[in-house]
Amino acid sequence: MAYLAALGYLVSIAGPLLAGGLLTQFGFNPLFVLVIFINALALIPLSKLTEIKVKFEFSYKQTLKELFKKGNRRLSMACFSDGAQAMVGVIIRPIFIYQILEHEYMAVGAIAALIIIVTIFFQLLIGKYTDELPKRKLIHIGYSLYALGWLAK
């Protein structure tokens, strides 16, 4: 699994570098056109899907009750926190890096690619020891590395 995830990350390294280069050379308009084109291409497989009729067991009201039920509070808070952390990573961190690097688009792309490369390295390292180490120790190491990664970011 780690190798498949790493392959996906490797493909995503080219994105920030390409975006930084396009932005530096041509500005925002060609970059927006390219992103719109790529997103349009990504919609093509969706047209091949067949419609599936699904009946939901919970109403919206029942879903909200389950979400905020006392027994589900810890799980709900964990999911809300994960979403908040993801939003910081997607919105706040790139703006912060852009400001620190004094509006150098290519440097922002290079930093983003470097972060992905370091992530791949640690993911493969932990993936190697997944079968060898006890699960409790592995979880502790994983959370520690994740926390260190956020501090480094």
Side-chain angles (χ1 to χ4, degrees):
M1 286 303 291
Y3 288 120
L4 288 175
L7 182 62
Y9 284 136
L10 282 174
V11 171
S12 69
I13 289 172
L17 291 174
L18 181 64
L22 283 173
L23 209 49
T24 302
Q25 294 294 318
F26 304 109
F28 279 101
N29 289 338
L31 185 60
F32 283 134
V33 169
L34 179 64
V35 169
I36 289 169
F37 178 72
I38 290 171
N39 282 326
L41 286 177
L43 292 175
I44 292 172
L46 292 177
S47 67
K48 304 293 184 196
L49 294 176
T50 58
E51 186 176 341
I52 299 174
K53 299 288 184 187
V54 178
K55 184 175 187 235
F56 295 100
E57 295 179 20
F58 284 359
S59 66
Y60 287 114
K61 186 177 179 180
Q62 180 64 28
T63 301
L64 288 174
K65 280 183 183 179
E66 289 293 321
L67 183 65
F68 293 109
K69 191 186 330 182
K70 189 173 185 175
N72 294 333
R73 199 166 287 159
R74 290 180 71 188
L75 180 61
S76 294
M77 287 305 296
C79 291
F80 287 139
S81 299
D82 186 50
Q85 173 245 287
M87 292 305 294
V88 167
V90 170
I91 297 171
I92 306 296
R93 187 172 42 103
I95 294 171
F96 181 71
I97 291 172
Y98 175 73
Q99 292 295 327
I100 286 177
L101 296 176
E102 299 174 355
H103 312 282
E104 290 292 325
Y105 299 117
M106 198 61 194
V108 172
I111 292 292
L114 181 64
I115 289 170
I116 293 168
I117 290 169
V118 170
T119 301
I120 291 170
F121 172 75
F122 281 117
Q123 188 172 24
L124 290 175
L125 184 68
I126 291 297
K128 178 181 175 191
Y129 294 110
T130 298
D131 295 329
E132 299 171 12
L133 294 175
K135 300 304 177 212
R136 282 201 178 275
K137 187 172 185 177
L138 188 64
I139 288 173
H140 179 70
I141 291 170
Y143 278 116
S144 299
L145 286 174
Y146 190 77
L148 286 173
W150 261 97
L151 290 174
K153 288 179 189 179

